[in-house]
Amino acid sequence: MIIVLAETANEADIRHVVDRIEESGRSAHLSRGVERTIIGVIGPDDPAMQDMFETLPGVESVHRVTKPYRLVSREFRPSGTVVECGHGVSIGGSELAVMAGPCSIEDERHIVETAIAVRAAGANILRGGAFKPRTSPYAFRGHGERALEFLANAGRESGMPVITEVMSVRDIDAVARSADIIQIGARNMQNFILLDEVGKTHKPVMLKRALSGTIEEWLLAAEYVVAQGNPNVILCERGIRTFETAYRNTFDINAIPLAKSLSHLPVIADPSHGTGKWKLVRPVAMASIAAGADGLMIEVHPNPDHALSDGAQSLTFESFERMMESVSAIAAAVERRVPLHASASAG
Amino acid sequence: MIIVLAETANEADIRHVVDRIEESGRSAHLSRGVERTIIGVIGPDDPAMQDMFETLPGVESVHRVTKPYRLVSREFRPSGTVVECGHGVSIGGSELAVMAGPCSIEDERHIVETAIAVRAAGANILRGGAFKPRTSPYAFRGHGERALEFLANAGRESGMPVITEVMSVRDIDAVARSADIIQIGARNMQNFILLDEVGKTHKPVMLKRALSGTIEEWLLAAEYVVAQGNPNVILCERGIRTFETAYRNTFDINAIPLAKSLSHLPVIADPSHGTGKWKLVRPVAMASIAAGADGLMIEVHPNPDHALSDGAQSLTFESFERMMESVSAIAAAVERRVPLHASASAG
Amino acid sequence: MIIVLAETANEADIRHVVDRIEESGRSAHLSRGVERTIIGVIGPDDPAMQDMFETLPGVESVHRVTKPYRLVSREFRPSGTVVECGHGVSIGGSELAVMAGPCSIEDERHIVETAIAVRAAGANILRGGAFKPRTSPYAFRGHGERALEFLANAGRESGMPVITEVMSVRDIDAVARSADIIQIGARNMQNFILLDEVGKTHKPVMLKRALSGTIEEWLLAAEYVVAQGNPNVILCERGIRTFETAYRNTFDINAIPLAKSLSHLPVIADPSHGTGKWKLVRPVAMASIAAGADGLMIEVHPNPDHALSDGAQSLTFESFERMMESVSAIAAAVERRVPLHASASAG
Amino acid sequence: MIIVLAETANEADIRHVVDRIEESGRSAHLSRGVERTIIGVIGPDDPAMQDMFETLPGVESVHRVTKPYRLVSREFRPSGTVVECGHGVSIGGSELAVMAGPCSIEDERHIVETAIAVRAAGANILRGGAFKPRTSPYAFRGHGERALEFLANAGRESGMPVITEVMSVRDIDAVARSADIIQIGARNMQNFILLDEVGKTHKPVMLKRALSGTIEEWLLAAEYVVAQGNPNVILCERGIRTFETAYRNTFDINAIPLAKSLSHLPVIADPSHGTGKWKLVRPVAMASIAAGADGLMIEVHPNPDHALSDGAQSLTFESFERMMESVSAIAAAVERRVPLHASASAG
């Protein structure tokens, strides 16, 4: 931490700052310039300390010089993390992860049919919502535990690992039993208790970025999970909230290469939420892979105009297939590949 | 809901839209203009339906015409809600609610001392954090249940109701036993399970607006609580996240008169988080009362430069006193008053 | 400027940074810590230098420690600036400046009628648009030079100085001849040529904050004007663009006390644009004065539902009068006063 | 336009709305539902009318149903516009436009050297700043007219058309004489007088999106130029301002496919400004082409750590070459190609 004193700071102010640094078990390094004095703090950075120093008389500004996360930083594991998800699928290697399926699991036939179709088109992970966060208390909130069963069956039948969201500590056990990957939704990125608890499982955790979450906050949320002993974290960029109302969210393409340079964790792109408009899903999926994403999460529905949620951003089977062809061409251009199945219906 | 068809829509498209409306149990009202056809949907608005209609061929845009919340709307209770909080304190009447205290409860002496000081200066509700949401897993996260006891004691000793945050369903019982008002923090505004569960208690609930929560989402979050049977909800504006980095958050003063016109619930202003800088707390507190807020939540610490969290935005006892004098003058100008105590130390 | 080197920086990297500092005529102060080296740059801060240092190998981050503006900073003139505007009206003293009038000047009778009404209600400066920035090329863009004449006449008849916007260098002379205060609109806050040119006049200049202008950029835009020799600058907060769509703009109340602490220039609040909804104008005007604004700019129209622009945010004569009563009460609470006229119709 | 009346609206309110519609020369179409009345306005949409209707008693909301721009809309020219720029280069066809060069033109040797290097690496248009918009009045503002000459010479020597920014009406003639494409910078996107005046030239105009410009405002700004008779407009996405501070701007990848679907104009991506960090330029350039951009604008400098401006986001010749290789692979995947020169030094 570096503390810059105001031009008006006097010796007593400087002494006070140094005392507080030493009280905290750190040491102070003074540098007296012509116009102002600067104090380097030798010892670990702590955001709360920054706050505190800013209140001291004579202090003009406080600058942190180290990153607040450690275990998830690229320096900690320069080679990059590959997360094993079961059924021979891993995330972070040269084969892209393609998660596809409906926003909500509506019934068993619906999810099995979708699983088979998306796998045939090249998906390797099945997504489906059982517990749905909904802005309105009057909207459909998912079929809960019953839907978890349907999802697990569809995963087995199609031979794919499955991912679904957990919204509450009380549902972690049930979700961990049925799912291969646990999703933490954007609205729960800073539900710190939930992060702690999924950190105590050994399941892969996909952590979506919050609507107004900074890259630093996102990585600190991942640090919560890893700090509890679970290193299998996957980041997911799903669009942020900006002034622009032409789309539901603004997909932050910068976040992909930046997150990958700051952290060793794999990064997935969700252009369905990142745009909110199915017509934009294909080009933004292509862009994400071009920018270095390790995979995609895509909402697919047999019949989007009958979907119980998020119809406007869901692809049909046909448009998903078209998207996969385009993504495949981009993947080749960046020396990666989309998943290849020996036989689309094999378990 | 109003559905606007594209100029290029044909009869089959129109028929399809009307069919989907009728399938949903609603009825359709066609209005054929020179350039385009508009279809009014007669029946309840449902956000999921809006999504769905937007996917239909030939549809250009879909406009909701009714508000998605009901129980919290001003129309539902035009006279405004007054929430009783115990110790004779109520929120929403002509006397302002002034919640003051430390960000975190550090020890019993600390919270009792603060309670007595803020009450003497005119506060009527004691705040203090036992469970603290922290961006970093390495930061101080509050003293938990032990702090709840300290808070309850300090409330009794100073004769004030107390408010504290609950972050998780598992802590609701403990918090409800110790606190008079349950706070839902900004990061949990859309933790829907938590909203459901505090809705099943009968305690007053103060709901902070999320960092990027729209007014509509905030009122829908309140609707979650009220829909479970708990009408005692208080809204709290605490600043939103914008591009401006000169302050921690941008206090949204517009939100105060707008929330009060759209809803019958009381609205509290939190200028400590809304600015993040103690020097801005006094003017923004004054502004909030001038704009019609029903009260304030202020961070006060005996010694901000030793605070375990949020020191930069905490007032000292002395600056809180000065703030209360200024707020009192503004309150008089809008025909309200700050709390008056017969004797500051009375229970 | 402080340059923080990465942990991986080697001696050659450090040498290179020091060389570049010395080449620029500044000197370097090294501080070698256990984990990393920090270099203080002794000499003037320059934003372009910051950019440059960030590109050097081994550099992790660069922190500016001085503010980039000088002439407009509070340190430069601690006592605060009072701008004389003619007709005995000044901005920045204990009497508030109240600028009122229509968005666009529609005809002579219209502006004279409005001038007399707003003056009777307590305004002391007349506003009116002659050149109107409009998002669409098909919208009404103002009556131009003809409207300037109407405005000047209305100012004379009502005995008030007048303010109007200039959008282009070519219109500065005409506007400066007719108006007492030149307004730079939000969309031109960073029209640097226009800033230079109004800086060469001696007229008071009111500088609106851009839709996404930071406080620092706003003060630097003011610095452009003052650096050309015109010290008579007035700042105007008019709302910023955020994710919230419930209002046209989000009025940034924090900006008022912060701008007044960073700069000696007076600050005016424009709640008409800051909210975009006439029902919110009165509470936000009250809030602004409570927060320390030196005055208000308010859109008033004899008949808002016939206005050629901005009807939705314009007050009627009657609601302006009501607003002035409320503002007057708040002004008294902060030891200021609204303008008082011996006789409302006197010249 | 559709006007939704409040539940509380009475017959007089409805009559008043209808009268105002008919006064404006439009006609009204009433639709009385069970809960509320909806009025369709038959006739052209006008944003000012929307404002006005919102002020009428009994009106709850007003919805525009047509787009406010015409000449730039995709419907107006479904096939897409190809802009001819001289030297055989066109923008909007299957060959990508690659604009490269320094932020500022520093001297003649510098720009010629850069021109030759970027052309050899595959650029087909030379960029360089002569008039620089700078946040601080104390920063380097470009060499002005002298730099225009250097740029024109460098274009001739390297055989490429050149693009440079115009900041003021008074410089349009000089810029139009030297440059093949006139650039309107982000800060001038809504400098409406400047838009009008470049609309009166016949030069291609590249219009950058403002820091907080919506897609609709951007297209309306383009409409200003086209409405004056100049159809040769190119859009340029250069990042928007959001809450994220990890990059200088947030590149809005969604804007590329959306602008191309709403408008027939070509769209260029500027990842240098869109990220502000040279390490992110390559992946975001690749993403932009994958998403359908018609070309790139890239800052390249022989020696970024000696650049007079924007060094942090400039590529070296070597990293530009590497970027072009990557972009070339992506271009092939989307059936486009980067410019190919028979001989890099040929005129």
Side-chain angles (χ1 to χ4, degrees), chain A residues 20 52 56 134 138 141 187 190 196 212 217 223-224 241 305, chain B residues 20 52 134 138 141 187 190 196 212 217 223-224 241 305:
Chain A
R20 294 290 293 120
M52 185 272 288
L56 296 185
R134 298 306 300 267
Y138 307 119
R141 294 166 71 176
R187 282 168 185 76
Q190 294 191 315
D196 279 344
S212 62
E217 289 169 343
E223 185 92 1
Y224 261 89
R241 188 163 271 184
D305 70 351
Chain B
R20 294 289 293 118
M52 185 271 289
R134 298 307 299 269
Y138 307 119
R141 294 166 73 175
R187 281 168 186 75
Q190 294 192 315
D196 279 344
S212 63
E217 288 169 344
E223 184 93 3
Y224 261 89
R241 188 162 271 185
D305 69 353

mmCIF file of all heavy atoms in Angstrom, chain A residues 20 52 56 134 138 141 187 190 196 212 217 223-224 241 305, chain B residues 20 52 134 138 141 187 190 196 212 217 223-224 241 305:
data_model
loop_
_atom_site.group_PDB
_atom_site.id
_atom_site.type_symbol
_atom_site.label_atom_id
_atom_site.label_comp_id
_atom_site.label_asym_id
_atom_site.label_seq_id
_atom_site.Cartn_x
_atom_site.Cartn_y
_atom_site.Cartn_z
ATOM 1 N N ARG A 20 0.156 4.280 13.125
ATOM 2 C CA ARG A 20 -0.940 3.336 12.802
ATOM 3 C C ARG A 20 -0.404 2.172 11.964
ATOM 4 O O ARG A 20 -0.858 1.040 12.112
ATOM 5 C CB ARG A 20 -2.088 4.053 12.074
ATOM 6 C CG ARG A 20 -2.834 5.082 12.892
ATOM 7 C CD ARG A 20 -3.699 4.469 14.001
ATOM 8 N NE ARG A 20 -4.805 3.711 13.455
ATOM 9 C CZ ARG A 20 -5.006 2.422 13.655
ATOM 10 N NH1 ARG A 20 -4.159 1.719 14.391
ATOM 11 N NH2 ARG A 20 -6.048 1.817 13.166
ATOM 12 N N MET A 52 -9.234 2.688 6.285
ATOM 13 C CA MET A 52 -8.839 3.311 7.529
ATOM 14 C C MET A 52 -7.833 4.420 7.294
ATOM 15 O O MET A 52 -7.990 5.534 7.778
ATOM 16 C CB MET A 52 -8.274 2.214 8.448
ATOM 17 C CG MET A 52 -7.914 2.667 9.824
ATOM 18 S SD MET A 52 -6.203 3.283 9.866
ATOM 19 C CE MET A 52 -5.332 1.725 9.702
ATOM 20 N N LEU A 56 -7.379 9.193 7.971
ATOM 21 C CA LEU A 56 -6.413 9.870 8.849
ATOM 22 C C LEU A 56 -6.163 11.304 8.373
ATOM 23 O O LEU A 56 -6.109 11.567 7.166
ATOM 24 C CB LEU A 56 -5.093 9.088 8.881
ATOM 25 C CG LEU A 56 -5.174 7.675 9.470
ATOM 26 C CD1 LEU A 56 -3.780 7.060 9.555
ATOM 27 C CD2 LEU A 56 -5.836 7.666 10.837
ATOM 28 N N ARG A 134 -36.164 -15.512 -10.148
ATOM 29 C CA ARG A 134 -37.071 -14.721 -10.988
ATOM 30 C C ARG A 134 -37.321 -13.369 -10.348
ATOM 31 O O ARG A 134 -37.612 -13.297 -9.148
ATOM 32 C CB ARG A 134 -38.404 -15.460 -11.172
ATOM 33 C CG ARG A 134 -38.261 -16.819 -11.882
ATOM 34 C CD ARG A 134 -37.541 -16.742 -13.217
ATOM 35 N NE ARG A 134 -38.211 -15.880 -14.149
ATOM 36 C CZ ARG A 134 -39.111 -16.300 -15.041
ATOM 37 N NH1 ARG A 134 -39.391 -17.585 -15.137
ATOM 38 N NH2 ARG A 134 -39.690 -15.457 -15.856
ATOM 39 N N TYR A 138 -44.279 -13.653 -8.887
ATOM 40 C CA TYR A 138 -45.406 -14.298 -9.547
ATOM 41 C C TYR A 138 -44.984 -15.091 -10.780
ATOM 42 O O TYR A 138 -45.810 -15.700 -11.446
ATOM 43 C CB TYR A 138 -46.471 -13.253 -9.916
ATOM 44 C CG TYR A 138 -46.862 -12.411 -8.722
ATOM 45 C CD1 TYR A 138 -46.676 -11.034 -8.704
ATOM 46 C CD2 TYR A 138 -47.399 -13.010 -7.573
ATOM 47 C CE1 TYR A 138 -47.009 -10.272 -7.599
ATOM 48 C CE2 TYR A 138 -47.726 -12.257 -6.452
ATOM 49 C CZ TYR A 138 -47.522 -10.893 -6.476
ATOM 50 O OH TYR A 138 -47.852 -10.153 -5.371
ATOM 51 N N ARG A 141 -40.989 -20.408 -11.084
ATOM 52 C CA ARG A 141 -39.706 -20.465 -10.400
ATOM 53 C C ARG A 141 -39.009 -21.815 -10.518
ATOM 54 O O ARG A 141 -38.082 -22.109 -9.772
ATOM 55 C CB ARG A 141 -39.899 -20.048 -8.940
ATOM 56 C CG ARG A 141 -40.307 -18.576 -8.853
ATOM 57 C CD ARG A 141 -40.833 -18.164 -7.503
ATOM 58 N NE ARG A 141 -39.782 -18.120 -6.502
ATOM 59 C CZ ARG A 141 -39.952 -17.716 -5.248
ATOM 60 N NH1 ARG A 141 -41.164 -17.305 -4.846
ATOM 61 N NH2 ARG A 141 -38.966 -17.715 -4.396
ATOM 62 N N ARG A 187 -26.891 -13.279 -9.756
ATOM 63 C CA ARG A 187 -27.441 -12.575 -8.585
ATOM 64 C C ARG A 187 -26.863 -13.102 -7.267
ATOM 65 O O ARG A 187 -27.021 -12.492 -6.223
ATOM 66 C CB ARG A 187 -28.966 -12.674 -8.574
ATOM 67 C CG ARG A 187 -29.578 -11.691 -9.560
ATOM 68 C CD ARG A 187 -31.036 -11.918 -9.816
ATOM 69 N NE ARG A 187 -31.480 -10.993 -10.868
ATOM 70 C CZ ARG A 187 -31.202 -11.161 -12.166
ATOM 71 N NH1 ARG A 187 -30.494 -12.198 -12.575
ATOM 72 N NH2 ARG A 187 -31.629 -10.275 -13.055
ATOM 73 N N GLN A 190 -22.161 -12.594 -5.074
ATOM 74 C CA GLN A 190 -21.654 -12.152 -3.780
ATOM 75 C C GLN A 190 -22.545 -12.638 -2.632
ATOM 76 O O GLN A 190 -22.674 -11.958 -1.608
ATOM 77 C CB GLN A 190 -21.470 -10.636 -3.762
ATOM 78 C CG GLN A 190 -20.352 -10.207 -4.737
ATOM 79 C CD GLN A 190 -19.940 -8.765 -4.565
ATOM 80 O OE1 GLN A 190 -20.769 -7.881 -4.439
ATOM 81 N NE2 GLN A 190 -18.631 -8.521 -4.540
ATOM 82 N N ASP A 196 -19.044 -19.955 0.314
ATOM 83 C CA ASP A 196 -18.339 -20.771 1.304
ATOM 84 C C ASP A 196 -18.779 -22.226 1.213
ATOM 85 O O ASP A 196 -17.962 -23.144 1.238
ATOM 86 C CB ASP A 196 -18.688 -20.285 2.730
ATOM 87 C CG ASP A 196 -17.901 -19.062 3.164
ATOM 88 O OD1 ASP A 196 -16.879 -18.741 2.527
ATOM 89 O OD2 ASP A 196 -18.314 -18.424 4.149
ATOM 90 N N SER A 212 -23.414 -6.160 -12.023
ATOM 91 C CA SER A 212 -22.514 -5.011 -11.925
ATOM 92 C C SER A 212 -21.255 -5.400 -11.166
ATOM 93 O O SER A 212 -20.686 -4.602 -10.435
ATOM 94 C CB SER A 212 -23.207 -3.824 -11.252
ATOM 95 O OG SER A 212 -23.575 -4.170 -9.937
ATOM 96 N N GLU A 217 -13.981 -8.081 -8.209
ATOM 97 C CA GLU A 217 -14.961 -8.699 -7.310
ATOM 98 C C GLU A 217 -15.271 -10.138 -7.720
ATOM 99 O O GLU A 217 -15.513 -11.003 -6.876
ATOM 100 C CB GLU A 217 -16.252 -7.879 -7.320
ATOM 101 C CG GLU A 217 -16.120 -6.540 -6.618
ATOM 102 C CD GLU A 217 -17.308 -5.620 -6.846
ATOM 103 O OE1 GLU A 217 -18.087 -5.875 -7.801
ATOM 104 O OE2 GLU A 217 -17.461 -4.640 -6.105
ATOM 105 N N GLU A 223 -12.234 -16.664 -5.318
ATOM 106 C CA GLU A 223 -11.285 -16.918 -4.229
ATOM 107 C C GLU A 223 -12.003 -17.477 -2.989
ATOM 108 O O GLU A 223 -11.466 -18.329 -2.279
ATOM 109 C CB GLU A 223 -10.552 -15.607 -3.878
ATOM 110 C CG GLU A 223 -9.460 -15.736 -2.837
ATOM 111 C CD GLU A 223 -8.061 -15.985 -3.437
ATOM 112 O OE1 GLU A 223 -7.929 -16.038 -4.677
ATOM 113 O OE2 GLU A 223 -7.114 -16.135 -2.654
ATOM 114 N N TYR A 224 -13.225 -17.006 -2.719
ATOM 115 C CA TYR A 224 -14.023 -17.553 -1.616
ATOM 116 C C TYR A 224 -14.158 -19.072 -1.745
ATOM 117 O O TYR A 224 -13.989 -19.814 -0.780
ATOM 118 C CB TYR A 224 -15.444 -16.958 -1.634
ATOM 119 C CG TYR A 224 -15.699 -15.812 -0.675
ATOM 120 C CD1 TYR A 224 -15.471 -14.504 -1.046
ATOM 121 C CD2 TYR A 224 -16.196 -16.047 0.611
ATOM 122 C CE1 TYR A 224 -15.725 -13.444 -0.180
ATOM 123 C CE2 TYR A 224 -16.467 -15.000 1.485
ATOM 124 C CZ TYR A 224 -16.223 -13.695 1.093
ATOM 125 O OH TYR A 224 -16.474 -12.666 1.955
ATOM 126 N N ARG A 241 -24.609 -4.893 -16.735
ATOM 127 C CA ARG A 241 -25.676 -3.900 -16.866
ATOM 128 C C ARG A 241 -25.062 -2.545 -17.189
ATOM 129 O O ARG A 241 -24.214 -2.066 -16.441
ATOM 130 C CB ARG A 241 -26.461 -3.853 -15.563
ATOM 131 C CG ARG A 241 -27.689 -3.006 -15.669
ATOM 132 C CD ARG A 241 -28.652 -3.285 -14.553
ATOM 133 N NE ARG A 241 -29.574 -4.348 -14.892
ATOM 134 C CZ ARG A 241 -30.577 -4.745 -14.122
ATOM 135 N NH1 ARG A 241 -30.772 -4.179 -12.944
ATOM 136 N NH2 ARG A 241 -31.374 -5.719 -14.508
ATOM 137 N N ASP A 305 -41.075 -20.245 -28.511
ATOM 138 C CA ASP A 305 -42.256 -19.409 -28.273
ATOM 139 C C ASP A 305 -43.249 -20.080 -27.324
ATOM 140 O O ASP A 305 -44.289 -19.522 -27.027
ATOM 141 C CB ASP A 305 -42.896 -18.940 -29.589
ATOM 142 C CG ASP A 305 -43.560 -20.065 -30.349
ATOM 143 O OD1 ASP A 305 -43.392 -21.224 -29.960
ATOM 144 O OD2 ASP A 305 -44.240 -19.765 -31.346
ATOM 145 N N ARG B 20 -51.751 -17.643 -29.834
ATOM 146 C CA ARG B 20 -50.957 -17.796 -28.612
ATOM 147 C C ARG B 20 -51.581 -17.015 -27.465
ATOM 148 O O ARG B 20 -51.536 -17.444 -26.307
ATOM 149 C CB ARG B 20 -49.498 -17.349 -28.843
ATOM 150 C CG ARG B 20 -48.708 -18.203 -29.808
ATOM 151 C CD ARG B 20 -48.356 -19.591 -29.256
ATOM 152 N NE ARG B 20 -47.434 -19.516 -28.148
ATOM 153 C CZ ARG B 20 -47.688 -19.933 -26.912
ATOM 154 N NH1 ARG B 20 -48.859 -20.458 -26.618
ATOM 155 N NH2 ARG B 20 -46.785 -19.842 -25.970
ATOM 156 N N MET B 52 -41.898 -14.213 -24.533
ATOM 157 C CA MET B 52 -42.382 -15.202 -25.489
ATOM 158 C C MET B 52 -42.919 -14.518 -26.738
ATOM 159 O O MET B 52 -42.571 -14.877 -27.856
ATOM 160 C CB MET B 52 -43.456 -16.050 -24.795
ATOM 161 C CG MET B 52 -43.977 -17.188 -25.626
ATOM 162 S SD MET B 52 -45.394 -16.621 -26.630
ATOM 163 C CE MET B 52 -46.626 -16.412 -25.322
ATOM 164 N N ARG B 134 -18.468 -9.322 2.899
ATOM 165 C CA ARG B 134 -17.188 -8.697 2.551
ATOM 166 C C ARG B 134 -16.717 -9.188 1.196
ATOM 167 O O ARG B 134 -16.733 -10.399 0.930
ATOM 168 C CB ARG B 134 -16.127 -9.037 3.618
ATOM 169 C CG ARG B 134 -16.476 -8.504 5.020
ATOM 170 C CD ARG B 134 -16.795 -7.021 5.048
ATOM 171 N NE ARG B 134 -15.689 -6.211 4.622
ATOM 172 C CZ ARG B 134 -14.764 -5.706 5.433
ATOM 173 N NH1 ARG B 134 -14.838 -5.903 6.735
ATOM 174 N NH2 ARG B 134 -13.791 -4.986 4.939
ATOM 175 N N TYR B 138 -10.729 -12.698 2.877
ATOM 176 C CA TYR B 138 -9.711 -12.502 3.915
ATOM 177 C C TYR B 138 -10.037 -11.322 4.835
ATOM 178 O O TYR B 138 -9.293 -11.033 5.762
ATOM 179 C CB TYR B 138 -8.339 -12.311 3.268
ATOM 180 C CG TYR B 138 -8.022 -13.441 2.312
ATOM 181 C CD1 TYR B 138 -7.810 -13.206 0.966
ATOM 182 C CD2 TYR B 138 -7.984 -14.770 2.770
ATOM 183 C CE1 TYR B 138 -7.546 -14.243 0.082
ATOM 184 C CE2 TYR B 138 -7.727 -15.813 1.885
ATOM 185 C CZ TYR B 138 -7.507 -15.542 0.548
ATOM 186 O OH TYR B 138 -7.259 -16.581 -0.302
ATOM 187 N N ARG B 141 -15.243 -10.572 8.921
ATOM 188 C CA ARG B 141 -16.612 -10.859 8.514
ATOM 189 C C ARG B 141 -17.627 -10.734 9.646
ATOM 190 O O ARG B 141 -18.757 -11.224 9.528
ATOM 191 C CB ARG B 141 -16.665 -12.230 7.859
ATOM 192 C CG ARG B 141 -15.875 -12.235 6.530
ATOM 193 C CD ARG B 141 -15.605 -13.613 5.993
ATOM 194 N NE ARG B 141 -16.817 -14.217 5.462
ATOM 195 C CZ ARG B 141 -16.843 -15.394 4.840
ATOM 196 N NH1 ARG B 141 -15.710 -16.071 4.653
ATOM 197 N NH2 ARG B 141 -17.968 -15.896 4.416
ATOM 198 N N ARG B 187 -26.427 -6.636 -1.578
ATOM 199 C CA ARG B 187 -26.005 -7.810 -2.361
ATOM 200 C C ARG B 187 -27.015 -8.950 -2.292
ATOM 201 O O ARG B 187 -26.938 -9.901 -3.057
ATOM 202 C CB ARG B 187 -24.628 -8.281 -1.880
ATOM 203 C CG ARG B 187 -23.538 -7.397 -2.455
ATOM 204 C CD ARG B 187 -22.201 -7.609 -1.813
ATOM 205 N NE ARG B 187 -21.251 -6.628 -2.334
ATOM 206 C CZ ARG B 187 -21.234 -5.333 -1.977
ATOM 207 N NH1 ARG B 187 -22.101 -4.886 -1.084
ATOM 208 N NH2 ARG B 187 -20.358 -4.496 -2.502
ATOM 209 N N GLN B 190 -31.751 -9.549 -4.408
ATOM 210 C CA GLN B 190 -32.404 -10.554 -5.235
ATOM 211 C C GLN B 190 -32.010 -11.974 -4.816
ATOM 212 O O GLN B 190 -31.967 -12.879 -5.639
ATOM 213 C CB GLN B 190 -32.127 -10.289 -6.722
ATOM 214 C CG GLN B 190 -32.797 -8.976 -7.176
ATOM 215 C CD GLN B 190 -32.798 -8.820 -8.683
ATOM 216 O OE1 GLN B 190 -31.777 -9.065 -9.335
ATOM 217 N NE2 GLN B 190 -33.910 -8.421 -9.252
ATOM 218 N N ASP B 196 -38.155 -14.738 0.588
ATOM 219 C CA ASP B 196 -39.290 -15.583 0.960
ATOM 220 C C ASP B 196 -39.293 -15.833 2.465
ATOM 221 O O ASP B 196 -40.328 -15.735 3.130
ATOM 222 C CB ASP B 196 -39.170 -16.964 0.283
ATOM 223 C CG ASP B 196 -39.645 -16.957 -1.167
ATOM 224 O OD1 ASP B 196 -40.324 -16.014 -1.581
ATOM 225 O OD2 ASP B 196 -39.314 -17.934 -1.877
ATOM 226 N N SER B 212 -26.961 -2.434 -8.662
ATOM 227 C CA SER B 212 -27.460 -2.102 -9.995
ATOM 228 C C SER B 212 -28.929 -2.503 -10.103
ATOM 229 O O SER B 212 -29.393 -2.899 -11.164
ATOM 230 C CB SER B 212 -26.633 -2.791 -11.077
ATOM 231 O OG SER B 212 -26.745 -4.188 -10.951
ATOM 232 N N GLU B 217 -37.174 -3.505 -10.007
ATOM 233 C CA GLU B 217 -36.675 -4.739 -9.379
ATOM 234 C C GLU B 217 -36.709 -4.646 -7.851
ATOM 235 O O GLU B 217 -36.968 -5.629 -7.160
ATOM 236 C CB GLU B 217 -35.234 -4.997 -9.830
ATOM 237 C CG GLU B 217 -35.123 -5.443 -11.277
ATOM 238 C CD GLU B 217 -33.690 -5.446 -11.800
ATOM 239 O OE1 GLU B 217 -32.824 -4.819 -11.153
ATOM 240 O OE2 GLU B 217 -33.447 -6.054 -12.847
ATOM 241 N N GLU B 223 -42.049 -6.931 -2.980
ATOM 242 C CA GLU B 223 -43.274 -7.708 -3.212
ATOM 243 C C GLU B 223 -43.084 -9.170 -2.772
ATOM 244 O O GLU B 223 -44.011 -9.794 -2.253
ATOM 245 C CB GLU B 223 -43.646 -7.631 -4.701
ATOM 246 C CG GLU B 223 -44.955 -8.302 -5.077
ATOM 247 C CD GLU B 223 -46.164 -7.362 -5.074
ATOM 248 O OE1 GLU B 223 -45.997 -6.141 -4.824
ATOM 249 O OE2 GLU B 223 -47.284 -7.841 -5.312
ATOM 250 N N TYR B 224 -41.890 -9.713 -2.985
ATOM 251 C CA TYR B 224 -41.589 -11.073 -2.509
ATOM 252 C C TYR B 224 -41.877 -11.202 -1.014
ATOM 253 O O TYR B 224 -42.486 -12.162 -0.556
ATOM 254 C CB TYR B 224 -40.100 -11.398 -2.721
ATOM 255 C CG TYR B 224 -39.761 -12.224 -3.948
ATOM 256 C CD1 TYR B 224 -39.499 -11.624 -5.161
ATOM 257 C CD2 TYR B 224 -39.670 -13.624 -3.880
ATOM 258 C CE1 TYR B 224 -39.151 -12.366 -6.288
ATOM 259 C CE2 TYR B 224 -39.319 -14.373 -4.995
ATOM 260 C CZ TYR B 224 -39.070 -13.750 -6.203
ATOM 261 O OH TYR B 224 -38.732 -14.501 -7.307
ATOM 262 N N ARG B 241 -24.321 1.824 -8.526
ATOM 263 C CA ARG B 241 -23.008 1.764 -9.168
ATOM 264 C C ARG B 241 -23.092 2.441 -10.545
ATOM 265 O O ARG B 241 -23.918 2.061 -11.361
ATOM 266 C CB ARG B 241 -22.601 0.305 -9.316
ATOM 267 C CG ARG B 241 -21.192 0.146 -9.799
ATOM 268 C CD ARG B 241 -20.668 -1.242 -9.529
ATOM 269 N NE ARG B 241 -20.043 -1.336 -8.218
ATOM 270 C CZ ARG B 241 -19.413 -2.429 -7.770
ATOM 271 N NH1 ARG B 241 -19.360 -3.515 -8.512
ATOM 272 N NH2 ARG B 241 -18.866 -2.427 -6.575
ATOM 273 N N ASP B 305 -10.803 5.873 12.628
ATOM 274 C CA ASP B 305 -9.525 5.412 12.089
ATOM 275 C C ASP B 305 -9.047 4.127 12.751
ATOM 276 O O ASP B 305 -7.990 3.607 12.414
ATOM 277 C CB ASP B 305 -8.455 6.520 12.089
ATOM 278 C CG ASP B 305 -8.006 6.887 13.479
ATOM 279 O OD1 ASP B 305 -8.593 6.394 14.439
ATOM 280 O OD2 ASP B 305 -7.052 7.681 13.584
#
